[in-house]
Structures are given as C-alpha cells and as structure tokens.
Amino acid sequence: MLEQVQRYYGETLTGSHDLRTDACCDGAAVPEALKPLLADIHPEVSERYYGCGLVAPDALEGLRVLDLGCGAGRDVYLLSRLVGEQGEVVGVDMTAAQLAVAERHRAYHAERYGYARSNVRFVEGRIEALGALGLPAGGFDLIVSNCVLNLSPDKAAVLAGAYQLLAPGGEFYFADVYADRRLPAALAEDPVLYGECLAGALYWADFLSLARAAGFTDPRLVDARPLAIDDTQVAEKVAPARFCSATYRLFKVEGLDPGAEDHGQTVTYRGDLSGYPDNWSLDRDRRFPTGHAVAVSANSYRILRASRFSRAFAFDAGAGAHRGPFPGVSDANPFTTAIACTTGSCC
C-alpha cells in the first residue's frame, strides 16, 4: 500500500491538475493575508500541492513545527514564513521524488524571506514510524498534516507518534478527508481511489476514537466542507458513501475530561492575536469577542491555559464547583458542518 502511494504521488501525478476530485482547497477560501505569502512560494513547489485544507493556525511566531507528509513542501515554506527566522519547520515524507522538489528550493525561500539561513529541513521516512527518524520527543510546539492521514495504513501509529513528539500544551492541527461510514476494505486495492484520498478515508467517528486512544482526549473540529467527485467512474465506485474535507485540532493537555463539564469558569480574550482584533475562534463552536468574559467548559479552560494562546486571555476559575455537563456543545461530526457549507466554501 505504501509503495502504491509513492508511485501515485511520485510518478502518476505531475501536478495538482491531475487530481480527479476537488480535494484541493479552493483558492478563494484562503485568507487575504496569506495569499501574498502563498504567491511567494516557488512555482514548482506550488504546482505539486495536494492538500485538502489550510494548515496555518494562529500565533506561530517562533514555534517549532513538524509537517507530516510534507510532499514538495508548500506548507513547510508557508509555515517557514509564519514562524519567522527564529522558528523551525521540519517536513517528513516517504516519497523521494517529492522531497527532491522541496530540497532544491530551500535557498530560494530563505533568500526570498530575507533569512540569513534556511529555517527548514526535510527528513525522508514514514509517518507511521516517527520514533525511528531521530526527531526529539516533546520537541515540537505544533504538528500539521494536510490530506495525508487517510493515506496511512496505520493511522493509530501516526496519532500516537504525533502525541509523543508534541511538547506539553502542543497542538496537532491537520486537514484530512473523512467518510460518513466505514468503507469496504476492497476499495483500498484501487490505486486511484486510494491515491485520491478516498479509499483510505476514516469514518469520522472511528477517527475520534483513535485520537482519544492516542491521548488527544478532546478533539476539536475547526471546519469542514463537502468533497465533490466529478469523475463519474470514481463516484460510482465509492457510492453511496459521502466524503468531506475537515480540519481538526488536537491538543496535548493533561487532565481533560471525556466530555464537556461546567465548573463555572470564564475566559476573556484580550484581542491581541495578530489579525483578530475583534474576536477569535478556538474551533467551530467557540468564538471569543474581545473584552467579553465567556463561559467555557473545563476542557476549553485547560486547553487555553496550557497552550500558546494563554497570553491572549485572562482567566477566571470561578468557584470551581462542578455544575454538570456544559451546555450547548455539539459533537465533532464534520458532516454536520459540511452540509451547512454546501452553499459556499468552508475550507
């Protein structure tokens, strides 16, 4: 299966125009502030982009970042710009042809960004075996991945490896493709279905179980969009399953509850995260207007306090007494959001 993926991305695909689904994110959905940064990336790198979302969360200055399945390096070079010269971005991929493209443009991007030296490096290897790559345990503040987890034959190993490599309070922020049901195993034998990120897609509820088993107790859905399959042959093979592209964020924070619990805690957003003077969102359900105390679950309180976002908030622990379940929290089903987004882009 891994060899099949290597052939598809190293030989079959020559660029994103060869893809047979709309897995790649619509450029119109990219925030205006990121468009000039993406335009600065070398054309050969951009042409070999096969992502399904945007893995550039907020507050990245100075972070140590790992990109799982980095391919030709588009996200690595975007993140290189966002973390700044004092930050670091490491890309891991198993496809030598993709890494060759990424490697030959390191100097180009360092010069383009005005850096004295490149702040990126690339490692060839399997994301299912991160412990064998010499990467430091607890050595990364942020791990990202863009439409790669579905291609892995051992998704539990990827999630467990990511958890081990994250520093306490760190985050795994990634976009991927999910199915609305468990798919027949036979579909994985089709190189096109697998290479197009369909046959290896997890049933979303199974993903949540795997994430929690790896230590990510409270997966948070950021956004989702329906995935169209314009190729009739491909659509017929996977019918009646539906697919969506979804972005989740998983935090390495100890002491989280299995569910949302209410302890009377509030947080107040200060308004100083770059680009978000009026409000900021942690995920699909949690938006924080500047200067307003907002009641949060115990998990949200702990996540915000333990993560890099703590500097942007004031915290009030309240009386601490348990009040029961926290009200108004939806599940992390991406299809709920994807259905609501059919009239526009939610990438």
Side-chain angles (χ1 to χ4, degrees), residues 65-68 76 88-92 120-123 135 140:
V65 182
L66 176 66
D67 183 359
L68 302 182
V76 168
E88 179 188 24
V89 186
V90 178
V92 173
V120 309
R121 64 186 178 95
F122 297 97
V123 178
L135 301 171
F140 295 94

Side-chain angles (χ1 to χ4, degrees), residues 27-194:
V30 176
E32 288 299 320
L34 294 184
K35 288 181 179 179
L37 306 189
L38 290 171
D40 261 354
I41 295 173
H42 194 281
E44 186 182 18
V45 172
S46 295
E47 287 165 6
R48 289 181 173 269
Y49 168 68
Y50 306 118
C52 61
L54 187 65
V55 290
D58 310 313
L60 299 184
E61 185 70 27
L63 296 193
R64 302 160 297 171
V65 182
L66 176 66
D67 183 359
L68 302 182
C70 66
R74 193 206 76 159
D75 289 335
V76 168
Y77 288 119
L78 173 62
L79 293 164
S80 165
R81 185 77 167 269
L82 294 172
V83 301
E85 191 168 8
Q86 302 309 310
E88 179 188 24
V89 186
V90 178
V92 173
D93 203 276
M94 68 175 184
T95 305
Q98 290 277 78
L99 288 180
V101 174
E103 281 282 4
R104 63 174 164 258
H105 299 299
R106 289 176 68 227
Y108 169 90
H109 290 96
E111 181 178 355
R112 189 85 172 177
Y113 302 162
Y115 295 170
R117 59 176 181 81
S118 175
N119 65 346
V120 309
R121 64 186 178 95
F122 297 97
V123 178
E124 184 174 347
R126 295 173 49 212
I127 61 173
E128 301 82 6
L130 292 169
L133 302 182
L135 301 171
F140 295 94
D141 307 299
L142 173 70
I143 296 177
V144 301
S145 185
N146 200 338
C147 211
V148 174
L149 187 63
N150 70 85
L151 298 171
S152 171
D154 191 348
K155 297 166 176 62
V158 178
L159 290 163
Y163 189 87
Q164 292 300 316
L165 292 180
L166 280 174
E171 176 185 11
F172 185 16
Y173 185 98
F174 65 103
D176 217 287
V177 174
Y178 297 91
D180 69 344
R181 66 199 69 200
R182 297 185 181 113
L183 302 173
L187 292 181
E189 303 303 318
D190 187 312
V192 172
L193 294 184
Y194 206 87

